[in-house]
Amino acid sequence: MAAAANSNSDNLTLDKVREALIRQEDTIVFRLIQRANFPVNSPTYDEKFASFSGSLLQFVVKETEALQSKVGRYENPEEQPFSPENLPPSLVPPQANPPVLHPAAASININEKIWDFYFNQLLPLFAVPGDDGNYASTASSDLDCLQAISRRIHYGYYVAEVKFKDAPQDYEPAIRAQDREGLMKLLTFEAVEEMVKKRVEKKAAVFGQDVCLVDNGNGKCKVDPSVVSRLYGEWIMPLTKLVQVEYLLRRLD
Amino acid sequence: MAAAANSNSDNLTLDKVREALIRQEDTIVFRLIQRANFPVNSPTYDEKFASFSGSLLQFVVKETEALQSKVGRYENPEEQPFSPENLPPSLVPPQANPPVLHPAAASININEKIWDFYFNQLLPLFAVPGDDGNYASTASSDLDCLQAISRRIHYGYYVAEVKFKDAPQDYEPAIRAQDREGLMKLLTFEAVEEMVKKRVEKKAAVFGQDVCLVDNGNGKCKVDPSVVSRLYGEWIMPLTKLVQVEYLLRRLD
């Protein structure tokens, strides 16, 4: 995961960015498997369940992000909050490294879309119905998943920056024309996307198996590998490209 | 992980307790692998690094536990805080289930020992030296590891309770004599412990591998499997038995 906090523009290469993205796949798969330890646990999301303003989940997200903001989490551009309103400032000394990204990155936060697909489409695909009472752990686990997915998607800033730096002449005409569709085409490599989907499917199969000393051969996975493939194909990769397009559109400002 | 929040004494069986312990092994291995994404990052632990009272880590632990307490984490007996002083009360409605454990469980918290071995002995065995600036993520990741290990060890309450319920006559003489050594002997099964050490070693090898579409055969693991075996053999299993002994010593009160 080793984020780009200490990167500088000299050591930002496509290989390093890819390596970071691949490591983040493991994190995402691990966290989905952890969330799958709990059933849906709907009181976590019920605004009338307890005496918070909002749901238990909203309380955990807001309070955790406020705490993490104080310890500098959001000084890393790829870390974008889900509750950006009134975040307290960081109390840690700022990093001395020169910024790698165009300042436009700071204005691109698509967490509303991530929140929406996670709760409305993804979660019902891998959490079984039911209620085991573990609402606090469920909320932490949801936030872990959301943050890992969000970091992966907003890492698109680095993908876009390194691609632009490697071949500005390829991107400048579409940027000057503010041509979203043209940029999206330049950033789409279907063969690579298919490979990523296959790799994350395999990771879900490997990391989600029951490991026993004697192979029990049940082949059951804690999260259906095809759901992880779909997560990447339908949401993570398209939204990463959306972040890249938004970044590139502002790259010459 | 599905903790015992909704258990009641009728469905607490040795098989269910073992199943929970086995699932918790996955959580512990996943979290160690996540922590190994970062180098040691010593400013996280430096009391002079930032303007907190204490280190960044201590701040994250204290504030996270306070937040988790409000959402009911510590209503589960196996969840024991590392900063138990002045925790705010839970704001969620209490569970209606009858308690499974003897009330003595609430007074047994060995997190000081867990904190001590984690930072002074375990962490240097699996985090590489260095500083990448990701102190906020490092602190969260340490707390994730500490909480998973602590839950596993304090799950000893359930192990002890189910063993006692299954055969009170085996334990009562040693309990009445307050014979710690005798209880420790009754709770020690070396063959089982060897099997657990082998299984977690295998889990570290499986979950810590680099998963590629084409086998790269590098066989490198993100956390040395022998370190995970040692974690169980030297700390987790002995401390779980300590929790069991402490619980049984008070079981007839």
Side-chain angles (χ1 to χ4, degrees), chain B residues 27-152:
Chain B
T27 303
I28 290 171
V29 173
F30 285 170
R31 292 185 178 184
L32 295 177
I33 292 170
Q34 294 290 294
R35 177 60 184 83
N37 278 331
F38 304 104
V40 169
N41 280 339
S42 59
T44 312
Y45 315 113
D46 179 353
E47 305 208 351
K48 287 175 197 142
F49 170 64
S51 50
F52 306 114
S53 64
S55 66
L56 192 153
L57 173 80
Q58 286 165 333
F59 178 81
V60 165
V61 171
K62 195 174 162 45
E63 297 288 317
T64 306
E65 290 193 333
L67 155 61
Q68 292 178 332
S69 183
K70 290 184 199 162
V71 292
R73 181 184 187 102
Y74 302 109
E75 305 300 296
N76 284 352
E78 72 271 25
E79 301 285 3
Q80 288 286 346
F82 286 86
S83 288
E85 307 78 23
N86 307 317
L87 277 183
S90 168
L91 302 173
V92 304
Q95 301 279 332
N97 307 296
V100 175
L101 298 173
H102 188 281
S107 66
I108 304 164
N109 176 339
I110 62 165
N111 275 342
E112 267 186 51
K113 288 183 202 296
I114 296 172
W115 183 281
D116 178 62
F117 86 69
Y118 177 82
F119 288 108
N120 296 321
Q121 299 186 266
L122 182 67
L123 190 61
L125 295 178
F126 75 96
V128 298
D131 184 339
D132 71 0
N134 288 298
Y135 312 131
S137 300
T138 299
S140 297
S141 193
D142 280 325
L143 181 57
D144 285 343
C145 291
L146 286 168
Q147 289 186 330
I149 293 169
S150 172
R151 186 187 309 114
R152 168 62 181 75

Side-chain angles (χ1 to χ4, degrees), chain B residues 10-35:
Chain B
D10 287 340
N11 66 27
L12 186 75
T13 63
L14 194 52
D15 277 350
K16 286 205 177 168
V17 169
R18 282 207 180 117
E19 204 182 288
L21 295 178
I22 288 173
R23 258 178 297 146
Q24 291 180 40
E25 291 167 5
D26 295 23
T27 303
I28 290 171
V29 173
F30 285 170
R31 292 185 178 184
L32 295 177
I33 292 170
Q34 294 290 294
R35 177 60 184 83

Side-chain angles (χ1 to χ4, degrees), chain A residues 25 54 65 82 108 114 133 142 152 158 173 178 214 231 235 247:
Chain A
E25 292 167 4
E65 290 193 333
F82 286 86
I108 305 165
I114 296 171
D142 280 325
R152 169 63 182 72
Y158 295 98
Q178 292 287 294
V214 180
L231 163 62
W235 297 297
Y247 180 84

Side-chain angles (χ1 to χ4, degrees), chain A residues 1 3 6 26-27 30 34 37 64 67 71 76 93 95 132-134 136 195 202 206-207 209 212-213 222, chain B residues 1 3 6 26-27 30 34 37 63-64 67 71 76 95 132-134 136 195 202 206-207 209 212-213 222:
Chain A
M1 204 151 38
N6 272 1
D26 294 22
T27 304
F30 285 169
Q34 293 290 293
N37 278 330
T64 306
L67 155 62
V71 292
N76 285 352
Q95 301 278 333
D132 71 359
N134 288 298
M195 193 191 65
K202 187 171 171 187
V206 171
F207 300 150
Q209 66 185 300
C212 305
L213 285 177
K222 286 162 199 130
Chain B
M1 205 151 38
N6 273 0
D26 295 23
T27 303
F30 285 170
Q34 294 290 294
N37 278 331
E63 297 288 317
T64 306
L67 155 61
V71 292
N76 284 352
Q95 301 279 332
D132 71 0
N134 288 298
M195 193 191 66
K202 187 171 171 189
V206 170
F207 301 150
Q209 66 185 301
C212 306
L213 286 176
K222 285 158 199 135

